[in-house]
Amino acid sequence: MRVLVTGGAGFIGSHLCERLLREGHDVICLDNFFTGSKLNIAHLLDNRNFELIRHDVTQPILLEVDRIYNLACPASPIHYQYNPVKTTKTSVMGAINMLGIAKRVRARILQASTSEVYGDPQVHPQTEAYWGNVNTLGVRSCYDEGKRVAETLMMDYHRQNHVDIRIVRIFNTYGPKMAENDGRVVSNFILQALKGEDITVYGEGEQTRSFCFVSDLVEGLIRMMECPGFIGPVNLGNPTETTIVEFAKKIIALTGSSSRIVYRPLPADDPKQRQPDISLAKQMLGWEPKVHVDEGLKQTIDYFSSRLNTA
Ligand code: NAD
């Protein structure tokens, strides 16, 4: 099949491109390199089944494809708050442009949505039936609300134009090729530990997160895309919850670092708890995460230490 991956030069997108090429597909990677990097896909450029298009999803484009994975969107607060208007445009106009292609060429389209559509949830763990608790006015809203509208557009193109859609709500994902400068917990903690710097925990560190390794996530994306007749939304994430402070301690132990933990004030709108209920993914896709956090962290630590050594 010919598969379009928007945001294909990003963290998750580049792993997805690799996997699709291994399965023998023709892959078109579309990216404007806002947060993605040529380094993430440099090793794919010689593959004759791989094509790279530098393009912004907020602009229309015409492509003939069978599948569209719509991942283009900055994903970490530092990046999506850099130009919040553009972030909303990327989600909303990007979804409209990609749905336009899907409608025209009858391609199946998967939207990378997010656990952030649940906002600061009042229900734990979150099932897909939960409508969320999102602040429309906050500094995270450009991302959360942009993604919510993208879901709405997917459903309306499906109901109105019979576009074959899939909606996946991705929870925190980590692994090699995560951006180093994105201020996210995993990359921050690993880099601070590798450099022997203080590890910064926001608030008391009692807020919990659950982290899914990228190869597990990619497996879930592909299963969802190819699952007949099930459009979602479906949660994909790792339900094993860890408090931030426990996580910091684990990284200190795995890197053998001498770093100390220091505490800073909690940013606005920071969710206290976030844990996926993945019963639906288990039932419909036969999917659940397989990679143990120690193994996933080891691979991620190796990646960051090689980046530090070549910097
Ligand atoms: P990432 O920032 O590494 O990847 C996003 C990619 O999209 C980058 O390559 C970037 O250059 C590209 N991009 C951004 N704006 C664009 C535009 N206007 N036109 C074309 N390309 C554009 O982030 P990621 O972690 O790989 O996330 C991929 C997708 O998964 C995003 O849609 C994100 O919202 C979603 N997601 C990720 C996580 C996570 O934990 N990583 C969690 C929930 C949802």
Side-chain angles (χ1 to χ4, degrees):
M1 275 189 288
R2 194 177 298 160
V3 186
L4 171 64
V5 180
T6 77
F11 159 51
I12 297 173
S14 59
H15 285 275
L16 178 62
C17 288
E18 267 175 28
R19 170 78 192 267
L20 292 166
L21 285 167
R22 272 206 306 277
E23 291 183 0
H25 299 292
D26 273 341
V27 175
I28 302 174
C29 165
L30 183 155
D31 207 294
N32 72 347
F33 295 109
F34 173 47
T35 50
S37 153
K38 286 187 188 156
L39 263 183
N40 289 343
I41 46 155
H43 60 298
L44 305 178
L45 292 173
D46 286 339
N47 188 321
R48 62 194 172 88
N49 294 329
F50 183 74
E51 262 174 275
L52 172 65
I53 301 176
R54 186 181 196 123
H55 181 81
D56 191 310
V57 285
T58 61
Q59 302 299 320
I61 186 168
L62 240 173
L63 293 166
E64 302 229 331
V65 291
D66 306 296
R67 298 281 188 266
I68 304 169
Y69 288 89
N70 189 30
L71 271 58
C73 185
S76 63
I78 287 185
H79 291 135
Y80 68 64
Q81 286 165 11
Y82 172 75
N83 183 345
V85 172
K86 175 71 191 237
T87 299
T88 306
K89 278 187 181 170
T90 296
S91 277
V92 175
M93 294 165 72
I96 291 172
N97 286 327
M98 294 308 121
L99 280 158
I101 299 181
K103 178 181 160 192
R104 217 169 295 131
V105 304
R106 296 183 190 281
R108 184 179 292 173
I109 178 168
L110 178 146
Q111 171 65 23
S113 188
T114 167
S115 56
E116 302 283 336
V117 299
Y118 300 123
D120 190 357
Q122 288 164 335
V123 171
H124 298 284
Q126 293 89 49
T127 69
E128 292 81 355
Y130 180 52
W131 288 358
N133 175 36
V134 182
N135 176 3
T136 57
L137 306 174
V139 293
R140 300 174 80 111
S141 310
C142 58
Y143 182 70
D144 305 2
E145 294 292 355
K147 289 284 188 181
R148 286 169 71 97
V149 173
E151 287 196 7
T152 307
L153 284 162
M154 294 283 288
M155 286 309 296
D156 284 334
Y157 268 78
H158 177 66
R159 283 186 287 248
Q160 199 175 323
N161 303 106
H162 312 292
V163 173
D164 193 5
I165 62 156
R166 303 285 185 273
I167 301 173
V168 164
R169 293 182 179 152
I170 302 171
F171 284 65
N172 279 338
T173 302
Y174 73 102
K177 298 191 198 168
M178 291 181 83
E180 284 151 51
N181 54 349
D182 69 357
R184 282 199 270 192
V185 177
V186 177
S187 47
N188 262 6
F189 285 5
I190 292 179
L191 282 169
Q192 287 168 332
L194 287 173
K195 292 179 185 166
E197 295 169 356
D198 290 345
I199 292 197
T200 330
V201 165
Y202 294 97
E204 314 259 293
E206 291 306 315
Q207 67 275 38
T208 63
R209 293 291 184 274
S210 48
F211 299 98
C212 183
F213 191 62
V214 66
S215 61
D216 281 330
L217 196 267
V218 165
E219 175 67 31
L221 293 179
I222 291 176
R223 284 195 192 202
M224 181 59 179
M225 179 64 107
E226 298 311 327
C227 182
F230 173 53
I231 63 170
V234 69
N235 290 336
L236 291 182
N238 194 327
T240 314
E241 251 187 325
T242 317
T243 67
I244 293 291
V245 76
E246 274 166 2
F247 203 68
K249 288 178 185 161
K250 198 179 246 316
I251 288 175
I252 291 176
L254 282 168
T255 49
S257 170
S258 55
S259 297
R260 294 173 314 133
I261 298 176
V262 295
Y263 296 87
R264 295 275 177 275
L266 205 60
D269 285 352
D270 194 52
K272 287 176 262 320
Q273 192 184 14
R274 184 63 68 58
Q275 185 193 21
D277 180 321
I278 59 164
S279 317
L280 193 62
K282 280 187 185 161
Q283 181 199 334
M284 298 302 294
L285 312 175
W287 177 88
E288 64 183 313
K290 295 266 186 291
V291 180
H292 190 273
V293 65
D294 289 354
E295 172 55 28
L297 279 177
K298 193 179 156 306
Q299 287 189 36
T300 315
I301 289 166
D302 286 350
Y303 168 78
F304 279 113
S305 57
S306 74
R307 296 282 299 140
L308 281 180
N309 292 334
T310 53

